Amino acid sequence: MLNKFSLVISLFLVFNASALDAVNHLSNIEEQFITYQQANYAKDGSNNDGVIASNFLDTIPSGLVNNPNGVATGNNEYVLVNIEGPAILERIWCAAINNLNGKINFYFDGETTPRFSSTINQLFINKTTIFDSILAQNLFENSGGNILYASINIKQNLIITTEAPMYCHVGFKLLPKDTIISSWTNTNDISQSNLLALSGNYPKQNASSLSSNTNTVSLNSNQKIVLYSSSGGGTIEGIELNIQDLNFDYADRIYDEGNVRKGWALFKMKINANADSLFLVNKMNKNNLLFGINQSKVNVIVEGRLVGVWQVNNYRDYHFWEDEKFYIPKSFYQGKNNINIIIQYISGDAWNEFRYQTICDNVITDVLDIKNVSSQNSHNYLVTGILNNNVSLYTSSANARYRTPEPIKYNNKQILDSLYISIYYDGETSPSTTAPIGLFFGAGTNDASYMNALLFGNNNGTYYNYFTQPFWSSVKVEIENKSSIKIDSINTNILYTNSILDKKTNGYLKAFVKQENKSATDSTDYNFLETNGKGKLIAIVIQGVQDTVEYGPIAYLEGDERIYIDDAQTPFIYGTGTEDLFNCGFYFILDEVCMPLHGMSNSDEKYNRNMYRIFLNDAIYFRKNISANVEHGPVNDVQALYNSISFYYWQQDTLYQLTDNLDVGNTTSETAHQYTVYGNSNNINKSSYFEGINDKQLLQHDGRKIQDSVEFIVSINENNNGVRLLRTFDYSLKNQSANIYVDDAFVGTWLNAGANTIQQFKDDIFAIPARFTQNKTQIKIKVVAKNNWTDLQYKVYTLQNSVVATPIKENKFSNISIQLYPNPTKDILNIYSNNENIKQINIYQINGVQIKSISTNNNQITIPVYELAKGMYIAEITTSNNTVAIKKFVVE
């Protein structure tokens, strides 16, 4: 009895992971996760994101969530996310400044009463829920965005609703369907809080086992040297640099509190009675994103006499601190050691004051700290007309920088942009990483600034990168000075261990660097990562600069991110704006912010923004490929220069193979797959679009709406580690769901929440665990519809267990439309489509190993094959309507 019980348990994955596990196993890419984000982006591809009801997954009267026969209370709840478990919610971001008392409700596992309910105020502003301040950060700390990072387990289902429509993203990952997991029980994850608190310090648990290679080097212009090399296997755990030539005098952000008012203030200041010059200096917050007029006027009255009007102009959207000076003539203070001053509001923007100084003959004689009670009392400070509104909330405290003088900034930029680090693994001739140090350490190339993120940053002048970097035969780290100046002193420290990680489960750290100037007439997204293989995206740094203000300052930030994985034509990550991707909001309304997992570390008058985000528990996994993109402007219509680095873990993977394709609506394909409908069904034949980067490409699909159930047979490879179904469906029907069976065994429920009645085609993936598929060459799929289920196409991908690939089988049903000639061939192969254009051609060896990939948009293409060895090959041809033909050809 015990042995039988043990056998049953061994078939399932018992999930128990934390943020601490994630940071200690950064390079592990073996997990069978699928990462998603549900967000209220505009469903027509426009820039009309956010609060309109049609952008939410659903609108349900309060009292009817999971309870259609209940009693509605009269209020509506807008569905932010509807997740079918087992899964883990990892991130909630929202931008809400109005209805802060609107509730967010969490309904688990069919509950009709929310297990967790909180207002925006309670969760983010006042922080009175169980989530501590490092997990739940508010828009004042976070430059316009509220963010909750908390791993919340989902056993069966989670629906999150809000009573206050707002911009919102919810990120989560689906676990294998046979995972054993219990739903969240309203508790805080202390380990995650403790981990994030380590930002700026080495965060992994193996610190005591590390060795250190330290050095001090200087580099002439165009000189390259090796910092570190090693033969044999091991792991680099950290790289630290301290560059003496950088100037950090303006690198730190300074926090202060003050008053925002439309009244008067009275105070007394000490001066030098015999001074030849006297200036009154006010430390001001000059945030122009919060003010409309960009001008403030006050009367300055000294000892009861009007000195003049103090007018402050030139508010801005970066580095808000500025010491504004007002000159007081000698006749107003001569012979006095103290003067009484009144600052009386006249017009324009509200006056803000954080610290007053008197400067006599260039010497500070007195300082009034506005929010320091002792300082107020000693200066007899009295004030009227303090504002109590959003502007006051945003400006009465600030954590900002002063502007760096241009010569200092120029020198810093030259070093950060031109000093390159390159890393070679296992005998590579081209490095896995070659990047300017500003990007490699996350802080940007525009100026020296402090930022303490979890895995990269600049801690008081020491740049650090703590991404795990495994290698198995050798490693070499080089540094190169590409600037025109000599760099005199660089202190370096390489942290490493001789521990060799399992190559089957760990990937190489890759860093993809790109720069592109997108014009306002370029309708394509900025693509910041494109790669084939298996891995996970772990971090991005995007530095954007907008040279023109034709569409408004920083308008390129209106662009949404769209991230695709594993041949899906629908982005699994789709956002509402670039600063939202980095967990902030409203164009980084409070300027620079540096949090453990995200932020904007550098800004300037050129609309430069250096933005970073670390994907830790919410890493974006891919098994076949990934394409990560962001729009430049509302609909790719704003000029912007991008400079970016994407960190990802990677393996060359030929184990994720397309082994079958069912084209629903194609009689030949349905017959070949024994596609059988039970009960009623309706035919679908329509032209529409996919969401995302191809939302202007009109496509035609036919298929069926299933009202009861359907069965079909698909081919897979016998030696497998599971199977994934990539389904194309008609997304115009809301909340599609079905129970999925393999060979009559229940696997799980497939849910596609929400709908899109404009861009009506959508792709999604359903992962079938290995215990349902191992040692089989074909499986019977049964789909039992629960609500609105539609089928247009199924692609079947087998996850191989080893590099010994199973041959791909030729599919016969597509012979009528695709021709290959000459066949056999010696030098060239012509591929011709009778009906529609060819979109993609993949060439495989007969054992299933891919050797060539070609993108096109023609009905005929000629491919050179003279370099191929003699033998049989497979051509996988995808047409513009996504029909896939698999054809054999022979090279003589």
Side-chain angles (χ1 to χ4, degrees):
M1 187 73 178
L2 178 61
N3 290 336
K4 182 178 179 180
F5 177 77
S6 300
L7 175 63
V8 171
I9 291 298
S10 69
L11 295 175
F12 296 87
L13 170 67
V14 181
F15 190 83
N16 181 22
S18 67
L20 195 59
D21 293 324
V23 81
N24 287 318
H25 302 93
L26 282 173
S27 58
N28 189 303
I29 59 174
E30 192 59 26
E31 292 93 344
Q32 300 290 331
F33 300 144
I34 305 177
T35 311
Y36 289 86
Q37 176 174 284
Q38 292 183 1
N40 51 349
Y41 55 86
K43 298 304 183 284
D44 60 356
S46 71
N47 195 45
N48 196 20
D49 301 319
V51 298
I52 61 176
S54 61
N55 288 343
F56 292 87
L57 294 180
D58 209 347
T59 304
I60 304 175
S62 293
L64 302 187
V65 179
N66 289 325
N67 187 23
N69 297 319
V71 178
T73 64
N75 296 322
N76 281 330
E77 296 185 37
Y78 301 90
V79 177
L80 301 176
V81 71
N82 188 350
I83 306 168
E84 190 69 27
I88 303 179
L89 184 147
E90 299 289 5
R91 166 184 176 263
I92 298 177
W93 168 91
C94 65
I97 59 174
N98 294 320
N99 189 359
L100 298 181
N101 289 317
K103 287 186 176 180
I104 296 179
N105 299 312
F106 289 58
Y107 297 87
F108 286 88
D109 303 338
E111 293 170 338
T112 58
T113 300
R115 186 175 303 187
F116 176 80
S117 182
S118 170
T119 67
I120 299 293
N121 256 330
Q122 292 167 337
L123 180 56
F124 295 112
I125 309 301
N126 298 326
K127 302 192 180 190
T128 56
T129 69
I130 61 166
F131 298 109
D132 61 33
S133 60
I134 201 166
L135 298 182
Q137 301 156 6
N138 63 50
L139 69 170
F140 305 115
E141 302 165 309
N142 214 41
S143 204
N146 301 299
I147 178 71
L148 174 65
Y149 272 120
S151 294
I152 295 177
N153 292 355
I154 305 158
K155 179 180 181 180
Q156 297 175 0
N157 181 261
L158 172 63
I159 296 175
I160 302 178
T161 69
T162 178
E163 299 172 357
M166 57 188 172
Y167 295 88
C168 192
H169 302 170
V170 181
F172 59 97
K173 60 192 179 193
L174 295 185
L175 307 180
K177 285 296 183 181
D178 53 357
T179 305
I180 297 175
I181 192 171
S182 298
S183 285
W184 181 72
T185 55
N186 211 346
T187 57
N188 191 15
D189 185 354
I190 300 298
S191 67
Q192 185 156 328
S193 302
N194 293 340
L195 173 66
L196 297 183
L198 293 174
S199 295
N201 301 291
Y202 184 78
K204 290 171 272 189
Q205 289 180 318
N206 63 351
S208 61
S209 66
L210 295 181
S211 299
S212 182
N213 180 284
T214 61
N215 207 346
T216 299
V217 300
S218 63
L219 285 168
N220 294 319
S221 176
N222 297 316
Q223 184 182 4
K224 179 194 299 184
I225 63 172
V226 175
L227 284 183
Y228 174 76
S229 64
S230 177
S231 297
T235 308
I236 291 178
E237 293 285 10
I239 299 176
E240 299 174 344
L241 294 184
N242 187 285
I243 305 167
Q244 300 298 309
D245 294 50
L246 289 172
N247 185 312
F248 291 101
D249 290 346
Y250 297 86
D252 209 356
R253 289 178 297 124
I254 301 167
Y255 179 79
D256 205 351
E257 296 181 339
N259 287 330
V260 181
R261 61 178 178 82
K262 287 188 176 181
W264 52 260
L266 167 68
F267 50 92
K268 180 177 67 174
M269 300 290 286
K270 297 175 183 178
I271 64 168
N272 179 352
N274 299 315
D276 291 323
S277 67
L278 170 60
F279 285 93
L280 179 64
V281 180
N282 180 16
K283 177 183 178 183
M284 298 191 74
N285 178 356
K286 301 193 72 174
N287 185 337
N288 76 344
L289 289 175
L290 295 171
F291 296 103
I293 301 172
N294 289 333
Q295 183 186 91
S296 296
K297 289 184 179 181
V298 293
N299 284 326
V300 179
I301 301 169
V302 174
E303 294 294 322
R305 292 191 294 157
L306 177 65
V307 179
V309 175
W310 192 350
Q311 180 172 309
V312 173
N313 303 308
N314 301 320
Y315 288 76
R316 54 185 180 269
D317 51 32
Y318 68 98
H319 295 188
F320 299 145
W321 289 133
E322 186 156 336
D323 289 337
E324 289 286 343
K325 293 182 178 181
F326 183 83
Y327 175 71
I328 300 175
K330 186 180 292 188
S331 60
F332 288 87
Y333 67 84
Q334 195 168 28
K336 296 183 174 65
N337 292 317
N338 298 279
I339 54 173
N340 292 297
I341 301 172
I342 296 176
I343 307 295
Q344 182 184 43
Y345 172 80
I346 301 174
S347 64
D349 297 320
W351 184 258
N352 69 81
E353 51 197 15
F354 286 77
R355 180 199 63 203
Y356 285 107
Q357 293 176 317
T358 46
I359 301 179
C360 295
D361 294 342
N362 296 319
V363 176
I364 298 173
T365 58
D366 205 355
V367 178
L368 164 58
D369 184 350
I370 293 299
K371 282 296 185 178
N372 182 292
V373 174
S374 176
S375 184
Q376 288 181 0
N377 292 338
S378 65
H379 291 86
N380 298 335
Y381 178 77
L382 297 174
V383 64
T384 66
I386 294 177
L387 299 184
N388 185 16
N389 55 28
N390 285 340
V391 170
S392 177
L393 288 173
Y394 275 112
T395 57
S396 60
S397 65
N399 192 7
R401 285 205 282 157
Y402 283 92
R403 284 185 288 187
T404 306
E406 197 59 35
I408 294 175
K409 178 182 170 182
Y410 176 82
N411 181 72
N412 288 341
K413 179 176 174 60
Q414 188 172 194
I415 295 172
L416 294 168
D417 196 33
S418 302
L419 185 63
Y420 270 65
I421 191 164
S422 299
I423 305 172
Y424 301 77
Y425 307 117
D426 296 346
E428 289 178 321
T429 56
S430 297
S432 284
T433 293
T434 182
I437 60 166
L439 288 179
F440 182 76
F441 294 106
T445 64
N446 197 47
D447 191 12
S449 61
Y450 295 140
M451 57 163 283
N452 288 344
L454 184 67
L455 294 172
F456 52 27
N458 174 8
N459 190 359
N460 295 321
T462 297
Y463 286 91
Y464 60 91
N465 182 308
Y466 294 138
F467 290 110
T468 298
Q469 301 181 55
F471 55 94
W472 287 272
S473 64
S474 66
V475 69
K476 180 174 65 173
V477 180
E478 292 181 340
I479 191 166
E480 181 179 6
N481 179 10
K482 296 185 178 184
S483 76
S484 60
I485 61 174
K486 180 182 180 182
I487 302 176
D488 288 320
S489 181
I490 307 173
N491 299 319
T492 71
N493 186 25
I494 309 294
L495 304 173
Y496 67 94
T497 173
N498 293 324
S499 298
I500 300 175
L501 300 179
D502 186 351
K503 196 170 185 179
K504 292 181 180 180
T505 58
N506 291 273
Y508 292 105
L509 178 69
K510 298 280 188 175
F512 179 70
V513 174
K514 184 175 181 179
Q515 184 178 83
E516 184 178 4
N517 193 356
K518 304 293 284 188
S519 72
T521 58
D522 184 345
S523 61
T524 63
D525 285 13
Y526 175 65
N527 175 255
F528 56 88
L529 177 61
E530 185 94 30
T531 192
N532 294 317
K534 170 186 175 181
K536 64 182 179 183
L537 177 60
I538 194 73
I540 57 175
V541 180
I542 298 179
Q543 188 166 287
V545 181
Q546 184 178 326
D547 293 331
T548 66
V549 294
E550 180 180 357
Y551 294 90
I554 350 180
Y556 72 90
L557 293 176
E558 289 289 342
D560 302 339
E561 77 272 17
R562 284 101 76 98
I563 301 177
Y564 296 76
I565 64 165
D566 299 342
D567 287 350
Q569 299 174 88
T570 298
F572 281 29
I573 310 292
Y574 198 148
T576 56
T578 305
E579 75 273 32
D580 309 350
L581 166 64
F582 297 94
N583 290 329
C584 300
F586 305 107
Y587 292 174
F588 300 102
I589 197 166
L590 296 180
D591 196 32
E592 297 171 352
V593 58
C594 297
M595 293 294 183
L597 300 179
H598 66 272
M600 190 270 284
S601 62
N602 221 307
S603 61
D604 68 13
E605 70 277 14
K606 301 290 188 182
Y607 307 112
N608 183 303
R609 298 293 181 268
N610 183 78
M611 304 161 280
Y612 69 89
R613 179 161 163 203
I614 297 170
F615 302 92
L616 191 59
N617 280 11
D618 55 344
I620 301 170
Y621 288 81
F622 54 96
R623 286 305 305 251
K624 190 172 189 289
N625 47 51
I626 186 172
S627 177
N629 314 269
V630 64
E631 294 175 292
H632 53 103
V635 287
N636 285 327
D637 55 353
V638 173
Q639 179 276 330
L641 172 64
Y642 290 98
N643 199 8
S644 65
I645 187 169
S646 300
F647 293 96
Y648 62 102
Y649 286 100
W650 175 90
Q651 285 181 358
Q652 178 68 54
D653 186 20
T654 59
L655 304 183
Y656 190 80
Q657 296 184 6
L658 177 67
T659 53
D660 210 341
N661 176 60
L662 166 59
D663 182 9
V664 181
N666 182 306
T667 302
T668 306
S669 181
E670 289 185 355
T671 300
H673 293 89
Q674 302 177 43
Y675 184 86
T676 305
V677 177
Y678 299 96
N680 296 324
S681 68
N682 303 101
N683 291 333
I684 297 172
N685 192 315
K686 65 168 50 179
S687 297
S688 191
Y689 310 86
F690 282 93
E691 299 174 342
I693 60 176
N694 294 317
D695 60 6
K696 300 297 185 293
Q697 182 180 352
L698 184 64
L699 300 173
Q700 192 278 335
H701 271 294
D702 51 11
R704 285 190 173 82
K705 178 186 176 185
I706 306 301
Q707 298 184 24
D708 294 296
S709 64
V710 63
E711 288 183 348
F712 50 92
I713 304 293
V714 296
S715 297
I716 63 173
N717 289 334
E718 184 175 12
N719 182 27
N720 69 73
N721 192 32
V723 168
R724 290 186 178 182
L725 303 179
L726 176 62
R727 165 175 158 259
T728 302
F729 59 99
D730 179 359
Y731 194 37
S732 66
L733 301 177
K734 183 183 290 186
N735 296 335
Q736 297 182 40
S737 64
N739 288 332
I740 307 299
Y741 297 79
V742 171
D743 294 330
D744 298 319
F746 177 65
V747 179
T749 299
W750 194 347
L751 169 67
N752 300 113
N756 189 338
T757 59
I758 302 169
Q759 296 168 354
Q760 298 184 12
F761 295 149
K762 190 176 181 73
D763 277 355
D764 193 26
I765 292 174
F766 185 84
I768 303 173
R771 70 188 185 90
F772 297 96
T773 63
Q774 283 180 336
N775 303 316
K776 299 177 182 179
T777 58
Q778 65 178 27
I779 53 176
K780 180 181 72 175
I781 306 292
K782 183 176 182 180
V783 180
V784 179
K786 298 176 70 175
N787 183 59
N788 286 335
W789 192 258
T790 62
D791 286 342
L792 302 178
Q793 185 179 33
Y794 289 94
K795 291 184 178 180
V796 182
Y797 292 87
T798 303
L799 283 70
Q800 290 297 112
N801 259 332
S802 70
V803 295
V804 180
T806 302
I808 297 175
K809 299 178 181 179
E810 184 175 22
N811 57 350
K812 302 294 186 182
F813 71 87
S814 58
N815 286 341
I816 56 172
S817 59
I818 302 291
Q819 301 175 29
L820 275 66
Y821 62 91
N823 189 10
T825 181
K826 292 183 178 180
D827 48 9
I828 62 170
L829 179 70
N830 295 297
I831 302 178
Y832 174 73
S833 169
N834 290 327
N835 299 329
E836 61 272 338
N837 282 355
I838 298 168
K839 182 169 67 174
Q840 183 78 23
I841 300 170
N842 296 323
I843 305 296
Y844 299 85
Q845 295 174 352
I846 196 65
N847 64 359
V849 175
Q850 184 174 337
I851 57 175
K852 190 186 288 283
S853 181
I854 301 137
S855 297
T856 182
N857 188 27
N858 295 291
N859 70 333
Q860 183 170 350
I861 184 171
T862 299
I863 301 172
V865 295
Y866 55 81
E867 78 279 11
L868 299 182
K870 293 181 180 181
M872 184 174 289
Y873 295 87
I874 294 291
E876 175 193 85
I877 302 131
T878 305
T879 64
S880 56
N881 71 354
N882 296 305
T883 297
V884 177
I886 297 176
K887 299 287 189 177
K888 294 178 181 177
F889 68 95
V890 175
V891 176
E892 293 182 329

